[in-house]
């Protein structure tokens, strides 16, 4: 297994456009998380899934953000009508239920111009 | 979530031990203490976790104070590849990790 995979690694978009990121977790992991990280800060929790169910969403996840995990496998994070403040690194992580160790991908760096 | 306090930065010479402290005085009785690190341009990486007893693994050791209000991550022989931001995270299972700003470790020759 190659670990958690995120695509694309980098995305530059114009303000107002929609963007979608993909995360492929480690295959047997049933929990999947999304985090956002801005420069100089630690990652901030956005949302997490257990299998296909979205169990928790942060207040950071405005109505322009939506995440899905169809069939409990890969996940997508969509940002509609992007704003410059959305520029950040978006990190995905996965873990097995009951395990304390989360495995992170390398992230997708979004730049909104 | 328990509040944590870590030094903003620390420096170490290569091949020397490094002790990274963390205060988590509001930790709940059932919270684990997780440590993650983030190398430049990488996602965070799990280092170690503990509950009450000191823990060792191939990467590091974790010393937990008897009152659990503080802990220390110990890198026994720092290398240049250990230069990273180290995060101390009290919490339950990995359903939600609350990262602070961590300690930036610089390792020099």
């Amino acid at each position: 297994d190659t670990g958690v995979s995120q695509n694309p690694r980098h995305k530059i978009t114009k303000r107002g456009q929609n963007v979608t990121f993909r995360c492929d977790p480690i295959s047997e992991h049933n929990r999947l998380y999304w985090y956002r990280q801005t420069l100089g800060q630690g990652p901030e929790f956005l949302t997490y899934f257990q299998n296909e169910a979205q169990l928790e969403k942060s207040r950071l996840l405005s109505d322009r953000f939506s995440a899905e995990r169809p069939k409990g496998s890969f996940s997508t994070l969509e940002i509609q009508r992007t704003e410059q403040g959305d520029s950040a690194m978006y990190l995905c992580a996965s873990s097995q239920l009951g395990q304390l160790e989360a495995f992170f991908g390398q992230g997708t760096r979004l730049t909104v111009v | 979530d328990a509040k944590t306090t870590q030094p903003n930065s620390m420096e170490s010479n290569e091949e020397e031990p490094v002790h990274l402290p963390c205060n988590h005085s509001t930790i709940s009785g059932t919270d684990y203490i997780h440590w993650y690190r983030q190398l430049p341009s990488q996602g965070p990486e799990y280092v170690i976790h503990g509950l009450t007893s000191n823990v060792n693994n191939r990467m590091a050791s974790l010393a937990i104070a008897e009152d659990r209000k503080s802990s220390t991550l110990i890198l026994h022989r720092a290398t240049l590849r250990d230069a990273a931001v180290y995060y101390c995270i009290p919490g339950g299972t990995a359903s939600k990790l609350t990262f602070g700003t961590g300690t930036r470790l610089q390792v020099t020759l």
Side-chain angles (χ1 to χ4, degrees), chain A residues 31 33 35 37 41-43 45 48 56 91 99-102 104-106, chain B residues 32 36 38 42-44 46 49 87 92-97 99-101:
Chain A
R31 284 191 165 179
Y33 320 85
Y35 291 82
Q37 185 173 26
Q41 302 297 313
F45 170 79
Y48 94 94
E56 186 174 351
L91 292 159
Q99 277 189 350
L100 294 181
E101 181 179 355
F104 283 79
Q106 293 191 304
Chain B
Y32 287 84
Y36 282 73
Q38 189 170 22
Q42 301 288 319
Y46 168 85
H49 74 270
Y87 297 98
T93 63
S95 60
K96 182 171 77 174
L97 296 168
F99 291 81
T101 52

PDB file of all heavy atoms in Angstrom, chain A residues 31 33 35 37 41-43 45 48 56 91 99-102 104-106, chain B residues 32 36 38 42-44 46 49 87 92-97 99-101:
ATOM      1  N   ARG A  31     -12.014   5.162   8.504  1.00  0.00           N
ATOM      2  CA  ARG A  31     -12.173   6.561   8.868  1.00  0.00           C
ATOM      3  C   ARG A  31     -11.334   7.441   7.945  1.00  0.00           C
ATOM      4  O   ARG A  31     -10.187   7.118   7.650  1.00  0.00           O
ATOM      5  CB  ARG A  31     -11.771   6.801  10.320  1.00  0.00           C
ATOM      6  CG  ARG A  31     -12.826   6.309  11.304  1.00  0.00           C
ATOM      7  CD  ARG A  31     -12.561   6.771  12.694  1.00  0.00           C
ATOM      8  NE  ARG A  31     -13.735   6.599  13.541  1.00  0.00           N
ATOM      9  CZ  ARG A  31     -13.778   6.905  14.814  1.00  0.00           C
ATOM     10  NH1 ARG A  31     -12.701   7.419  15.403  1.00  0.00           N
ATOM     11  NH2 ARG A  31     -14.872   6.738  15.515  1.00  0.00           N
ATOM     12  N   TYR A  33     -10.478  11.717   7.157  1.00  0.00           N
ATOM     13  CA  TYR A  33     -10.562  13.068   7.712  1.00  0.00           C
ATOM     14  C   TYR A  33     -10.036  14.088   6.704  1.00  0.00           C
ATOM     15  O   TYR A  33      -9.134  13.806   5.933  1.00  0.00           O
ATOM     16  CB  TYR A  33      -9.684  13.196   8.973  1.00  0.00           C
ATOM     17  CG  TYR A  33      -9.705  12.006   9.881  1.00  0.00           C
ATOM     18  CD1 TYR A  33      -8.864  10.932   9.649  1.00  0.00           C
ATOM     19  CD2 TYR A  33     -10.555  11.953  10.976  1.00  0.00           C
ATOM     20  CE1 TYR A  33      -8.859   9.823  10.476  1.00  0.00           C
ATOM     21  CE2 TYR A  33     -10.552  10.850  11.817  1.00  0.00           C
ATOM     22  CZ  TYR A  33      -9.711   9.795  11.562  1.00  0.00           C
ATOM     23  OH  TYR A  33      -9.719   8.693  12.386  1.00  0.00           O
ATOM     24  N   TYR A  35      -8.500  18.090   6.737  1.00  0.00           N
ATOM     25  CA  TYR A  35      -7.971  19.194   7.522  1.00  0.00           C
ATOM     26  C   TYR A  35      -7.543  20.306   6.559  1.00  0.00           C
ATOM     27  O   TYR A  35      -7.259  20.057   5.388  1.00  0.00           O
ATOM     28  CB  TYR A  35      -6.726  18.769   8.327  1.00  0.00           C
ATOM     29  CG  TYR A  35      -6.993  17.810   9.457  1.00  0.00           C
ATOM     30  CD1 TYR A  35      -7.114  16.449   9.222  1.00  0.00           C
ATOM     31  CD2 TYR A  35      -7.088  18.267  10.770  1.00  0.00           C
ATOM     32  CE1 TYR A  35      -7.346  15.561  10.267  1.00  0.00           C
ATOM     33  CE2 TYR A  35      -7.313  17.389  11.825  1.00  0.00           C
ATOM     34  CZ  TYR A  35      -7.442  16.041  11.563  1.00  0.00           C
ATOM     35  OH  TYR A  35      -7.662  15.175  12.596  1.00  0.00           O
ATOM     36  N   GLN A  37      -4.740  23.645   6.399  1.00  0.00           N
ATOM     37  CA  GLN A  37      -3.588  24.242   7.069  1.00  0.00           C
ATOM     38  C   GLN A  37      -3.151  25.492   6.336  1.00  0.00           C
ATOM     39  O   GLN A  37      -2.861  25.446   5.144  1.00  0.00           O
ATOM     40  CB  GLN A  37      -2.429  23.242   7.131  1.00  0.00           C
ATOM     41  CG  GLN A  37      -1.226  23.753   7.916  1.00  0.00           C
ATOM     42  CD  GLN A  37      -0.163  22.689   8.098  1.00  0.00           C
ATOM     43  OE1 GLN A  37      -0.040  21.761   7.306  1.00  0.00           O
ATOM     44  NE2 GLN A  37       0.613  22.800   9.170  1.00  0.00           N
ATOM     45  N   GLN A  41       0.538  27.824  10.690  1.00  0.00           N
ATOM     46  CA  GLN A  41      -0.420  27.268  11.642  1.00  0.00           C
ATOM     47  C   GLN A  41      -0.430  25.750  11.564  1.00  0.00           C
ATOM     48  O   GLN A  41      -0.010  25.165  10.568  1.00  0.00           O
ATOM     49  CB  GLN A  41      -1.827  27.798  11.347  1.00  0.00           C
ATOM     50  CG  GLN A  41      -1.938  29.311  11.385  1.00  0.00           C
ATOM     51  CD  GLN A  41      -1.628  29.871  12.750  1.00  0.00           C
ATOM     52  OE1 GLN A  41      -2.111  29.389  13.771  1.00  0.00           O
ATOM     53  NE2 GLN A  41      -0.788  30.901  12.798  1.00  0.00           N
ATOM     54  N   GLY A  42      -0.929  25.125  12.611  1.00  0.00           N
ATOM     55  CA  GLY A  42      -1.129  23.691  12.560  1.00  0.00           C
ATOM     56  C   GLY A  42      -2.389  23.371  11.767  1.00  0.00           C
ATOM     57  O   GLY A  42      -3.228  24.245  11.536  1.00  0.00           O
ATOM     58  N   PRO A  43      -2.538  22.146  11.331  1.00  0.00           N
ATOM     59  CA  PRO A  43      -3.752  21.759  10.602  1.00  0.00           C
ATOM     60  C   PRO A  43      -4.998  21.961  11.460  1.00  0.00           C
ATOM     61  O   PRO A  43      -4.969  21.757  12.670  1.00  0.00           O
ATOM     62  CB  PRO A  43      -3.524  20.270  10.311  1.00  0.00           C
ATOM     63  CG  PRO A  43      -2.043  20.086  10.350  1.00  0.00           C
ATOM     64  CD  PRO A  43      -1.565  21.045  11.406  1.00  0.00           C
ATOM     65  N   PHE A  45      -9.066  20.859  11.828  1.00  0.00           N
ATOM     66  CA  PHE A  45     -10.035  19.825  11.458  1.00  0.00           C
ATOM     67  C   PHE A  45     -11.201  20.436  10.682  1.00  0.00           C
ATOM     68  O   PHE A  45     -11.743  21.470  11.055  1.00  0.00           O
ATOM     69  CB  PHE A  45     -10.533  19.140  12.729  1.00  0.00           C
ATOM     70  CG  PHE A  45     -11.696  18.223  12.523  1.00  0.00           C
ATOM     71  CD1 PHE A  45     -11.497  16.944  12.014  1.00  0.00           C
ATOM     72  CD2 PHE A  45     -12.986  18.620  12.829  1.00  0.00           C
ATOM     73  CE1 PHE A  45     -12.565  16.087  11.827  1.00  0.00           C
ATOM     74  CE2 PHE A  45     -14.055  17.774  12.648  1.00  0.00           C
ATOM     75  CZ  PHE A  45     -13.853  16.499  12.150  1.00  0.00           C
ATOM     76  N   TYR A  48     -14.987  14.578   9.191  1.00  0.00           N
ATOM     77  CA  TYR A  48     -14.538  13.208   9.051  1.00  0.00           C
ATOM     78  C   TYR A  48     -15.681  12.256   8.741  1.00  0.00           C
ATOM     79  O   TYR A  48     -16.846  12.536   9.029  1.00  0.00           O
ATOM     80  CB  TYR A  48     -13.709  12.759  10.254  1.00  0.00           C
ATOM     81  CG  TYR A  48     -14.447  12.043  11.369  1.00  0.00           C
ATOM     82  CD1 TYR A  48     -14.526  10.651  11.408  1.00  0.00           C
ATOM     83  CD2 TYR A  48     -14.978  12.764  12.432  1.00  0.00           C
ATOM     84  CE1 TYR A  48     -15.155  10.003  12.458  1.00  0.00           C
ATOM     85  CE2 TYR A  48     -15.602  12.114  13.478  1.00  0.00           C
ATOM     86  CZ  TYR A  48     -15.684  10.731  13.498  1.00  0.00           C
ATOM     87  OH  TYR A  48     -16.293  10.084  14.545  1.00  0.00           O
ATOM     88  N   GLU A  56     -18.943  14.187  11.537  1.00  0.00           N
ATOM     89  CA  GLU A  56     -18.707  15.452  12.209  1.00  0.00           C
ATOM     90  C   GLU A  56     -18.223  16.483  11.204  1.00  0.00           C
ATOM     91  O   GLU A  56     -17.435  16.165  10.311  1.00  0.00           O
ATOM     92  CB  GLU A  56     -17.679  15.298  13.334  1.00  0.00           C
ATOM     93  CG  GLU A  56     -17.495  16.565  14.170  1.00  0.00           C
ATOM     94  CD  GLU A  56     -16.586  16.366  15.378  1.00  0.00           C
ATOM     95  OE1 GLU A  56     -16.227  15.223  15.692  1.00  0.00           O
ATOM     96  OE2 GLU A  56     -16.232  17.390  16.007  1.00  0.00           O
ATOM     97  N   LEU A  91      -5.443  18.839   3.708  1.00  0.00           N
ATOM     98  CA  LEU A  91      -4.849  17.553   4.064  1.00  0.00           C
ATOM     99  C   LEU A  91      -5.933  16.514   4.299  1.00  0.00           C
ATOM    100  O   LEU A  91      -6.965  16.806   4.892  1.00  0.00           O
ATOM    101  CB  LEU A  91      -4.016  17.697   5.346  1.00  0.00           C
ATOM    102  CG  LEU A  91      -2.754  18.541   5.229  1.00  0.00           C
ATOM    103  CD1 LEU A  91      -2.325  19.028   6.600  1.00  0.00           C
ATOM    104  CD2 LEU A  91      -1.642  17.748   4.583  1.00  0.00           C
ATOM    105  N   GLN A  99      -8.033   2.528  16.082  1.00  0.00           N
ATOM    106  CA  GLN A  99      -6.592   2.793  16.095  1.00  0.00           C
ATOM    107  C   GLN A  99      -6.350   4.248  16.437  1.00  0.00           C
ATOM    108  O   GLN A  99      -7.120   5.121  16.057  1.00  0.00           O
ATOM    109  CB  GLN A  99      -5.987   2.517  14.712  1.00  0.00           C
ATOM    110  CG  GLN A  99      -5.661   1.090  14.441  1.00  0.00           C
ATOM    111  CD  GLN A  99      -4.862   0.952  13.149  1.00  0.00           C
ATOM    112  OE1 GLN A  99      -4.711   1.897  12.388  1.00  0.00           O
ATOM    113  NE2 GLN A  99      -4.350  -0.234  12.918  1.00  0.00           N
ATOM    114  N   LEU A 100      -5.263   4.500  17.109  1.00  0.00           N
ATOM    115  CA  LEU A 100      -4.951   5.866  17.504  1.00  0.00           C
ATOM    116  C   LEU A 100      -4.070   6.587  16.491  1.00  0.00           C
ATOM    117  O   LEU A 100      -3.872   7.784  16.591  1.00  0.00           O
ATOM    118  CB  LEU A 100      -4.266   5.876  18.872  1.00  0.00           C
ATOM    119  CG  LEU A 100      -5.151   5.420  20.037  1.00  0.00           C
ATOM    120  CD1 LEU A 100      -4.385   5.478  21.349  1.00  0.00           C
ATOM    121  CD2 LEU A 100      -6.400   6.267  20.130  1.00  0.00           C
ATOM    122  N   GLU A 101      -3.566   5.872  15.521  1.00  0.00           N
ATOM    123  CA  GLU A 101      -2.643   6.472  14.569  1.00  0.00           C
ATOM    124  C   GLU A 101      -3.380   6.859  13.297  1.00  0.00           C
ATOM    125  O   GLU A 101      -4.055   6.031  12.692  1.00  0.00           O
ATOM    126  CB  GLU A 101      -1.547   5.472  14.247  1.00  0.00           C
ATOM    127  CG  GLU A 101      -0.497   5.963  13.281  1.00  0.00           C
ATOM    128  CD  GLU A 101       0.577   4.912  13.045  1.00  0.00           C
ATOM    129  OE1 GLU A 101       0.534   3.855  13.707  1.00  0.00           O
ATOM    130  OE2 GLU A 101       1.444   5.145  12.194  1.00  0.00           O
ATOM    131  N   ALA A 102      -3.258   8.117  12.927  1.00  0.00           N
ATOM    132  CA  ALA A 102      -3.817   8.591  11.662  1.00  0.00           C
ATOM    133  C   ALA A 102      -2.691   8.776  10.665  1.00  0.00           C
ATOM    134  O   ALA A 102      -1.596   9.214  11.020  1.00  0.00           O
ATOM    135  CB  ALA A 102      -4.564   9.904  11.860  1.00  0.00           C
ATOM    136  N   PHE A 104      -1.519  10.584   7.188  1.00  0.00           N
ATOM    137  CA  PHE A 104      -1.825  11.759   6.383  1.00  0.00           C
ATOM    138  C   PHE A 104      -1.268  11.631   4.974  1.00  0.00           C
ATOM    139  O   PHE A 104      -0.192  11.044   4.770  1.00  0.00           O
ATOM    140  CB  PHE A 104      -1.243  13.022   7.023  1.00  0.00           C
ATOM    141  CG  PHE A 104      -2.025  13.522   8.197  1.00  0.00           C
ATOM    142  CD1 PHE A 104      -1.897  12.926   9.440  1.00  0.00           C
ATOM    143  CD2 PHE A 104      -2.901  14.582   8.056  1.00  0.00           C
ATOM    144  CE1 PHE A 104      -2.624  13.389  10.530  1.00  0.00           C
ATOM    145  CE2 PHE A 104      -3.626  15.064   9.136  1.00  0.00           C
ATOM    146  CZ  PHE A 104      -3.494  14.464  10.375  1.00  0.00           C
ATOM    147  N   GLY A 105      -1.982  12.241   4.030  1.00  0.00           N
ATOM    148  CA  GLY A 105      -1.451  12.412   2.701  1.00  0.00           C
ATOM    149  C   GLY A 105      -0.549  13.639   2.655  1.00  0.00           C
ATOM    150  O   GLY A 105      -0.352  14.317   3.665  1.00  0.00           O
ATOM    151  N   GLN A 106      -0.012  13.901   1.463  1.00  0.00           N
ATOM    152  CA  GLN A 106       0.896  15.030   1.325  1.00  0.00           C
ATOM    153  C   GLN A 106       0.163  16.341   1.099  1.00  0.00           C
ATOM    154  O   GLN A 106       0.787  17.405   1.111  1.00  0.00           O
ATOM    155  CB  GLN A 106       1.879  14.768   0.189  1.00  0.00           C
ATOM    156  CG  GLN A 106       2.841  13.629   0.514  1.00  0.00           C
ATOM    157  CD  GLN A 106       3.975  13.548  -0.487  1.00  0.00           C
ATOM    158  OE1 GLN A 106       3.754  13.427  -1.684  1.00  0.00           O
ATOM    159  NE2 GLN A 106       5.197  13.644  -0.001  1.00  0.00           N
TER     160      GLN A 106
ATOM    161  N   TYR B  32      -5.595  10.433  25.559  1.00  0.00           N
ATOM    162  CA  TYR B  32      -4.234  10.039  25.251  1.00  0.00           C
ATOM    163  C   TYR B  32      -3.423  11.299  24.937  1.00  0.00           C
ATOM    164  O   TYR B  32      -3.988  12.381  24.709  1.00  0.00           O
ATOM    165  CB  TYR B  32      -4.202   9.123  24.024  1.00  0.00           C
ATOM    166  CG  TYR B  32      -4.724   7.735  24.298  1.00  0.00           C
ATOM    167  CD1 TYR B  32      -6.086   7.453  24.250  1.00  0.00           C
ATOM    168  CD2 TYR B  32      -3.854   6.697  24.616  1.00  0.00           C
ATOM    169  CE1 TYR B  32      -6.566   6.186  24.514  1.00  0.00           C
ATOM    170  CE2 TYR B  32      -4.325   5.421  24.874  1.00  0.00           C
ATOM    171  CZ  TYR B  32      -5.682   5.176  24.823  1.00  0.00           C
ATOM    172  OH  TYR B  32      -6.151   3.926  25.083  1.00  0.00           O
ATOM    173  N   TYR B  36       2.693  14.133  16.874  1.00  0.00           N
ATOM    174  CA  TYR B  36       2.880  14.062  15.433  1.00  0.00           C
ATOM    175  C   TYR B  36       3.993  15.033  15.055  1.00  0.00           C
ATOM    176  O   TYR B  36       4.282  15.986  15.792  1.00  0.00           O
ATOM    177  CB  TYR B  36       1.603  14.445  14.672  1.00  0.00           C
ATOM    178  CG  TYR B  36       0.567  13.357  14.626  1.00  0.00           C
ATOM    179  CD1 TYR B  36      -0.178  13.015  15.752  1.00  0.00           C
ATOM    180  CD2 TYR B  36       0.342  12.637  13.453  1.00  0.00           C
ATOM    181  CE1 TYR B  36      -1.113  11.996  15.710  1.00  0.00           C
ATOM    182  CE2 TYR B  36      -0.596  11.616  13.397  1.00  0.00           C
ATOM    183  CZ  TYR B  36      -1.315  11.310  14.529  1.00  0.00           C
ATOM    184  OH  TYR B  36      -2.232  10.291  14.482  1.00  0.00           O
ATOM    185  N   GLN B  38       5.680  17.194  11.477  1.00  0.00           N
ATOM    186  CA  GLN B  38       5.442  17.567  10.085  1.00  0.00           C
ATOM    187  C   GLN B  38       6.739  18.091   9.494  1.00  0.00           C
ATOM    188  O   GLN B  38       7.242  19.155   9.889  1.00  0.00           O
ATOM    189  CB  GLN B  38       4.345  18.634   9.989  1.00  0.00           C
ATOM    190  CG  GLN B  38       3.895  18.918   8.576  1.00  0.00           C
ATOM    191  CD  GLN B  38       2.642  19.787   8.528  1.00  0.00           C
ATOM    192  OE1 GLN B  38       2.320  20.505   9.480  1.00  0.00           O
ATOM    193  NE2 GLN B  38       1.932  19.733   7.415  1.00  0.00           N
ATOM    194  N   GLN B  42       5.391  18.318   3.781  1.00  0.00           N
ATOM    195  CA  GLN B  42       4.787  16.996   3.962  1.00  0.00           C
ATOM    196  C   GLN B  42       3.551  17.112   4.845  1.00  0.00           C
ATOM    197  O   GLN B  42       3.376  18.101   5.568  1.00  0.00           O
ATOM    198  CB  GLN B  42       5.775  16.039   4.642  1.00  0.00           C
ATOM    199  CG  GLN B  42       7.075  15.835   3.892  1.00  0.00           C
ATOM    200  CD  GLN B  42       6.890  15.010   2.640  1.00  0.00           C
ATOM    201  OE1 GLN B  42       6.165  14.031   2.634  1.00  0.00           O
ATOM    202  NE2 GLN B  42       7.543  15.420   1.570  1.00  0.00           N
ATOM    203  N   GLY B  43       2.707  16.087   4.788  1.00  0.00           N
ATOM    204  CA  GLY B  43       1.629  16.002   5.759  1.00  0.00           C
ATOM    205  C   GLY B  43       2.167  15.551   7.108  1.00  0.00           C
ATOM    206  O   GLY B  43       3.275  15.031   7.194  1.00  0.00           O
ATOM    207  N   PRO B  44       1.410  15.751   8.173  1.00  0.00           N
ATOM    208  CA  PRO B  44       1.866  15.291   9.487  1.00  0.00           C
ATOM    209  C   PRO B  44       2.102  13.790   9.509  1.00  0.00           C
ATOM    210  O   PRO B  44       1.479  13.030   8.751  1.00  0.00           O
ATOM    211  CB  PRO B  44       0.699  15.668  10.412  1.00  0.00           C
ATOM    212  CG  PRO B  44       0.025  16.809   9.726  1.00  0.00           C
ATOM    213  CD  PRO B  44       0.138  16.490   8.273  1.00  0.00           C
ATOM    214  N   TYR B  46       2.627  10.470  12.265  1.00  0.00           N
ATOM    215  CA  TYR B  46       2.509   9.976  13.640  1.00  0.00           C
ATOM    216  C   TYR B  46       3.885   9.666  14.203  1.00  0.00           C
ATOM    217  O   TYR B  46       4.731   9.096  13.515  1.00  0.00           O
ATOM    218  CB  TYR B  46       1.638   8.723  13.639  1.00  0.00           C
ATOM    219  CG  TYR B  46       1.661   7.933  14.928  1.00  0.00           C
ATOM    220  CD1 TYR B  46       0.818   8.258  15.980  1.00  0.00           C
ATOM    221  CD2 TYR B  46       2.521   6.852  15.071  1.00  0.00           C
ATOM    222  CE1 TYR B  46       0.834   7.529  17.149  1.00  0.00           C
ATOM    223  CE2 TYR B  46       2.547   6.119  16.244  1.00  0.00           C
ATOM    224  CZ  TYR B  46       1.703   6.457  17.275  1.00  0.00           C
ATOM    225  OH  TYR B  46       1.726   5.728  18.445  1.00  0.00           O
ATOM    226  N   HIS B  49       2.300   7.755  20.942  1.00  0.00           N
ATOM    227  CA  HIS B  49       1.234   8.172  21.832  1.00  0.00           C
ATOM    228  C   HIS B  49       1.355   7.418  23.150  1.00  0.00           C
ATOM    229  O   HIS B  49       1.983   6.346  23.216  1.00  0.00           O
ATOM    230  CB  HIS B  49      -0.155   7.942  21.219  1.00  0.00           C
ATOM    231  CG  HIS B  49      -0.578   6.499  21.187  1.00  0.00           C
ATOM    232  ND1 HIS B  49      -0.298   5.672  20.120  1.00  0.00           N
ATOM    233  CD2 HIS B  49      -1.244   5.745  22.099  1.00  0.00           C
ATOM    234  CE1 HIS B  49      -0.782   4.468  20.354  1.00  0.00           C
ATOM    235  NE2 HIS B  49      -1.352   4.485  21.553  1.00  0.00           N
ATOM    236  N   TYR B  87       4.129  18.367  17.067  1.00  0.00           N
ATOM    237  CA  TYR B  87       2.861  18.719  17.680  1.00  0.00           C
ATOM    238  C   TYR B  87       2.524  17.740  18.801  1.00  0.00           C
ATOM    239  O   TYR B  87       2.565  16.526  18.602  1.00  0.00           O
ATOM    240  CB  TYR B  87       1.728  18.670  16.654  1.00  0.00           C
ATOM    241  CG  TYR B  87       1.843  19.636  15.506  1.00  0.00           C
ATOM    242  CD1 TYR B  87       2.354  19.210  14.283  1.00  0.00           C
ATOM    243  CD2 TYR B  87       1.429  20.956  15.635  1.00  0.00           C
ATOM    244  CE1 TYR B  87       2.445  20.083  13.212  1.00  0.00           C
ATOM    245  CE2 TYR B  87       1.517  21.837  14.568  1.00  0.00           C
ATOM    246  CZ  TYR B  87       2.023  21.393  13.358  1.00  0.00           C
ATOM    247  OH  TYR B  87       2.106  22.264  12.299  1.00  0.00           O
ATOM    248  N   GLY B  92      -8.727  11.824  22.331  1.00  0.00           N
ATOM    249  CA  GLY B  92      -9.168  10.436  22.366  1.00  0.00           C
ATOM    250  C   GLY B  92      -8.617   9.682  21.183  1.00  0.00           C
ATOM    251  O   GLY B  92      -7.464   9.797  20.812  1.00  0.00           O
ATOM    252  N   THR B  93      -9.484   8.936  20.540  1.00  0.00           N
ATOM    253  CA  THR B  93      -9.050   8.233  19.341  1.00  0.00           C
ATOM    254  C   THR B  93      -8.798   9.261  18.251  1.00  0.00           C
ATOM    255  O   THR B  93      -9.077  10.438  18.414  1.00  0.00           O
ATOM    256  CB  THR B  93     -10.110   7.232  18.871  1.00  0.00           C
ATOM    257  OG1 THR B  93     -11.284   7.961  18.512  1.00  0.00           O
ATOM    258  CG2 THR B  93     -10.439   6.242  19.961  1.00  0.00           C
ATOM    259  N   ALA B  94      -8.296   8.812  17.140  1.00  0.00           N
ATOM    260  CA  ALA B  94      -7.877   9.771  16.104  1.00  0.00           C
ATOM    261  C   ALA B  94      -9.051  10.306  15.299  1.00  0.00           C
ATOM    262  O   ALA B  94      -8.890  10.696  14.160  1.00  0.00           O
ATOM    263  CB  ALA B  94      -6.866   9.107  15.187  1.00  0.00           C
ATOM    264  N   SER B  95     -10.251  10.396  15.902  1.00  0.00           N
ATOM    265  CA  SER B  95     -11.380  10.927  15.152  1.00  0.00           C
ATOM    266  C   SER B  95     -11.215  12.414  14.872  1.00  0.00           C
ATOM    267  O   SER B  95     -11.677  12.900  13.864  1.00  0.00           O
ATOM    268  CB  SER B  95     -12.674  10.693  15.916  1.00  0.00           C
ATOM    269  OG  SER B  95     -12.636  11.340  17.173  1.00  0.00           O
ATOM    270  N   LYS B  96     -10.581  13.134  15.761  1.00  0.00           N
ATOM    271  CA  LYS B  96     -10.348  14.551  15.519  1.00  0.00           C
ATOM    272  C   LYS B  96      -9.092  14.953  16.264  1.00  0.00           C
ATOM    273  O   LYS B  96      -9.037  14.860  17.487  1.00  0.00           O
ATOM    274  CB  LYS B  96     -11.525  15.387  16.014  1.00  0.00           C
ATOM    275  CG  LYS B  96     -11.363  16.862  15.738  1.00  0.00           C
ATOM    276  CD  LYS B  96     -12.634  17.629  16.045  1.00  0.00           C
ATOM    277  CE  LYS B  96     -12.827  17.829  17.525  1.00  0.00           C
ATOM    278  NZ  LYS B  96     -13.999  18.699  17.808  1.00  0.00           N
ATOM    279  N   LEU B  97      -8.088  15.338  15.540  1.00  0.00           N
ATOM    280  CA  LEU B  97      -6.849  15.809  16.145  1.00  0.00           C
ATOM    281  C   LEU B  97      -6.862  17.325  16.157  1.00  0.00           C
ATOM    282  O   LEU B  97      -7.091  17.940  15.122  1.00  0.00           O
ATOM    283  CB  LEU B  97      -5.636  15.297  15.349  1.00  0.00           C
ATOM    284  CG  LEU B  97      -5.444  13.778  15.341  1.00  0.00           C
ATOM    285  CD1 LEU B  97      -4.410  13.377  14.307  1.00  0.00           C
ATOM    286  CD2 LEU B  97      -5.032  13.297  16.723  1.00  0.00           C
ATOM    287  N   PHE B  99      -4.634  20.276  16.444  1.00  0.00           N
ATOM    288  CA  PHE B  99      -3.244  20.695  16.387  1.00  0.00           C
ATOM    289  C   PHE B  99      -3.110  22.116  16.915  1.00  0.00           C
ATOM    290  O   PHE B  99      -3.957  22.962  16.676  1.00  0.00           O
ATOM    291  CB  PHE B  99      -2.741  20.690  14.936  1.00  0.00           C
ATOM    292  CG  PHE B  99      -2.594  19.322  14.313  1.00  0.00           C
ATOM    293  CD1 PHE B  99      -3.696  18.658  13.795  1.00  0.00           C
ATOM    294  CD2 PHE B  99      -1.349  18.720  14.217  1.00  0.00           C
ATOM    295  CE1 PHE B  99      -3.559  17.402  13.209  1.00  0.00           C
ATOM    296  CE2 PHE B  99      -1.199  17.480  13.624  1.00  0.00           C
ATOM    297  CZ  PHE B  99      -2.304  16.817  13.120  1.00  0.00           C
ATOM    298  N   GLY B 100      -2.026  22.371  17.633  1.00  0.00           N
ATOM    299  CA  GLY B 100      -1.663  23.737  17.970  1.00  0.00           C
ATOM    300  C   GLY B 100      -0.665  24.235  16.940  1.00  0.00           C
ATOM    301  O   GLY B 100      -0.711  23.814  15.779  1.00  0.00           O
ATOM    302  N   THR B 101       0.238  25.088  17.359  1.00  0.00           N
ATOM    303  CA  THR B 101       1.265  25.589  16.442  1.00  0.00           C
ATOM    304  C   THR B 101       2.564  24.810  16.556  1.00  0.00           C
ATOM    305  O   THR B 101       3.450  24.957  15.726  1.00  0.00           O
ATOM    306  CB  THR B 101       1.549  27.077  16.662  1.00  0.00           C
ATOM    307  OG1 THR B 101       1.820  27.290  18.051  1.00  0.00           O
ATOM    308  CG2 THR B 101       0.350  27.933  16.258  1.00  0.00           C
TER     309      THR B 101
END
